[in-house]
Amino acid sequence: MSLSANAVRVAVTGAAYVAPPKTTLPTDSEATWNVAFTDIGWISDDGITESNSADSSEIKGWQGGQTVRKVISSSEMTFSFTAIETSKTVLELYHKGSKVITTSGKSVLAVKAPGPDRRTFGFDVIDGDAHIRIVIPDGEVTETGDITYKGDEAIAYELTITAYPGPDGTVAFKYSNDPAWGSTPAV
């Protein structure tokens, strides 16, 4: 067995970004984000959670009722995080379809019933010099958590983003400059 402590990564810091649909995407982990991307701001210390799920159907053989095949019937990739910075960007992500309008230094958010609001998203995950960049070309906030207004906690906005497949089935791109990504442990 070959073990390499040098390949153990920790998501020490990073950032979450949002941009209008069809924004030009980065093609590596180190390029500057397109100016259309907006940094979502402070994320809670829980970080970002990536979830991948797949449902499958079993095909049973008549002889003995054994499973002879599984067919994937659906799949989904989501990213969840809690924004702890209150800003126009965060408020508009949380309240899908609503816009913050500011006039003479005063703002109003007319909260509307949520509607479709597809966008492009990105995440940077950084551990020293190792950098992972995740890009979601077509995504949408599909779940939100409760907002708690309390004297000893930041106002927080729980967001779950669903990544939708493109024409070729790709839901996200992951890029890295991490040498561990390109090596195979010796056997």
Side-chain angles (χ1 to χ4, degrees):
M1 177 183 339
S2 174
L3 304 174
S4 176
N6 292 333
V8 176
R9 298 289 171 256
V10 176
V12 175
T13 190
Y17 302 92
V18 63
K22 300 183 181 183
T23 296
T24 301
L25 306 175
T27 56
D28 66 44
S29 63
E30 297 171 323
T32 303
W33 287 94
N34 181 300
V35 295
F37 280 91
T38 301
D39 187 333
I40 291 172
W42 284 101
I43 304 296
S44 76
D45 63 356
D46 291 329
I48 297 168
T49 301
E50 175 184 329
S51 299
N52 292 282
S53 64
D55 293 324
S56 60
S57 302
E58 293 181 351
I59 298 174
K60 304 266 184 192
W62 173 52
Q63 301 86 345
Q66 294 181 359
T67 301
V68 295
R69 186 172 176 186
K70 285 192 175 189
V71 178
I72 295 175
S73 55
S74 68
S75 65
E76 182 176 72
M77 181 181 215
T78 61
F79 294 85
S80 302
F81 61 91
T82 301
I84 58 171
E85 186 172 320
T86 300
S87 68
K88 177 180 182 359
T89 300
V90 171
L91 291 168
E92 290 178 356
L93 283 172
Y94 186 88
H95 298 287
K96 287 174 42 164
S98 302
K99 299 290 178 204
V100 174
I101 298 172
T102 303
T103 308
S104 301
K106 296 181 180 182
S107 300
V108 64
L109 172 65
V111 178
K112 298 181 179 188
D117 188 18
R118 287 168 100 137
R119 302 187 191 204
T120 302
F121 293 89
F123 304 104
D124 282 330
V125 180
I126 301 167
D127 181 3
D129 292 333
H131 187 164
I132 299 169
R133 175 165 288 165
I134 303 166
V135 180
I136 303 165
D138 184 13
E140 181 174 30
V141 173
T142 53
E143 293 179 40
T144 57
D146 296 336
I147 298 174
T148 301
Y149 301 100
K150 191 174 172 193
D152 61 349
E153 293 179 9
I155 299 171
Y157 307 89
E158 293 176 40
L159 304 169
T160 299
I161 297 162
T162 298
Y164 297 124
D168 67 351
T170 301
V171 294
F173 294 96
K174 291 185 177 185
Y175 303 104
S176 184
N177 66 350
D178 187 345
W181 276 42
S183 63
T184 304
V187 179

